[in-house]
Amino acid sequence: MNEMIDATDVRILQILIRDAKRSNKEIGEEVHLTGQAVGARVRKLQDLGVIEGYTVKWNPDRLGLGLKAFVTVFLNSGDKHAAFRAFVAGREDIVEVHRVSGEGCYLMRVQTGTTEQLGELLEALLPLGNYRVSLSIGVEKSSS
Amino acid sequence: MNEMIDATDVRILQILIRDAKRSNKEIGEEVHLTGQAVGARVRKLQDLGVIEGYTVKWNPDRLGLGLKAFVTVFLNSGDKHAAFRAFVAGREDIVEVHRVSGEGCYLMRVQTGTTEQLGELLEALLPLGNYRVSLSIGVEKSSS
DNA sequence: GGTGAAAACTAGTCGGC
DNA sequence: GCCGACTAGTTTTCACC
């Protein structure tokens, strides 16, 4: 059950990352396999935890969520970590949170509709610590 | 052809973000519609550009790409932007690049296998400008 | 581990409401 | 704008190599 991942598996994964709607048969033609062989490998990748799930790439701008920002968080004290995690779990506008070493304690990716909403988020964050905001004014590259 | 997006469309989108492999029929049961009505709405969302494509969520750790970092880039001079864009376009380990206001010129999300590879990336970046690295040591939240 | 053929399910298209 | 029936394509499961 502990199988290795060969180059073909990686190729299949890369194809699926680019477009998960491709059929197994179509992928099979590209990697010189039949559709059901590709299906078996995809299932293996899922069982191994390499593939965690399937999602859609969506455009936040078209839904009035055009504001993207990176917020570096500096917590006031060490006992604020639990409160911070509860805070981010309850907010839909916080898309991604990383515990980081370097600048600050956490770095989170935020997605809101207006600057007012971003301001409200930052204000709610203040009791926990300080922050530094980098507002995205253009995406050069995204999820290669 | 210029249609509005109602609450049902958003619900369908949220379901697809969580799991794009759900069938239209299954989604229809959740939003009280038939499968083909869901399919029509999904097609509408694609035509409107809200849904840009389908991808897989994959686990970099399982492929020996466990190092995640955020690099804030401070370009040396204004004429380095073109060179920087060419630089990031050619590197697979740079996953995401944002033009930002605030700290630095660009903020990019990097994904490498080892610290040596990260060091090599940063060294290659040096001719273009300075940088500040925040190494991710744990993901609290990811792509809600 | 991969291939081949049959079964179950799915999405897309048609007319009708 | 949505529903029901039909068709085409897909994934899945089986035995076999």
Side-chain angles (χ1 to χ4, degrees), chain A residues 66-122:
Chain A
L67 228 68
K68 287 175 271 289
F70 292 88
V71 180
T72 309
V73 181
F74 304 80
L75 290 185
N76 281 336
S77 56
D79 58 349
K80 292 286 176 62
H81 284 278
F84 175 74
R85 290 179 194 193
F87 175 75
V88 300
R91 298 206 57 121
E92 279 291 327
D93 44 9
I94 300 176
V95 179
E96 197 173 344
V97 179
H98 288 258
R99 183 93 170 83
V100 290
S101 81
E103 291 291 308
C105 302
Y106 292 94
L107 202 158
M108 54 192 201
R109 199 155 59 84
V110 172
Q111 193 129 349
T112 56
T114 63
T115 49
E116 283 79 15
Q117 289 172 24
L118 179 59
E120 187 265 325
L121 166 64
L122 296 175

Side-chain angles (χ1 to χ4, degrees), chain A residues 25-92:
Chain A
K25 189 207 284 184
E26 206 176 359
I27 297 172
E29 293 171 4
E30 202 163 325
V31 299
H32 304 293
L33 263 76
T34 56
Q36 46 267 44
V38 175
R41 282 168 179 268
V42 170
R43 208 170 318 137
K44 183 185 73 178
L45 290 173
Q46 288 174 154
D47 294 339
L48 289 174
V50 177
I51 293 178
E52 297 179 327
Y54 296 81
T55 11
V56 289
K57 290 186 289 186
W58 58 289
N59 194 330
D61 302 344
R62 305 294 173 101
L63 276 180
L65 291 170
L67 228 68
K68 287 175 271 289
F70 292 88
V71 180
T72 309
V73 181
F74 304 80
L75 290 185
N76 281 336
S77 56
D79 58 349
K80 292 286 176 62
H81 284 278
F84 175 74
R85 290 179 194 193
F87 175 75
V88 300
R91 298 206 57 121
E92 279 291 327

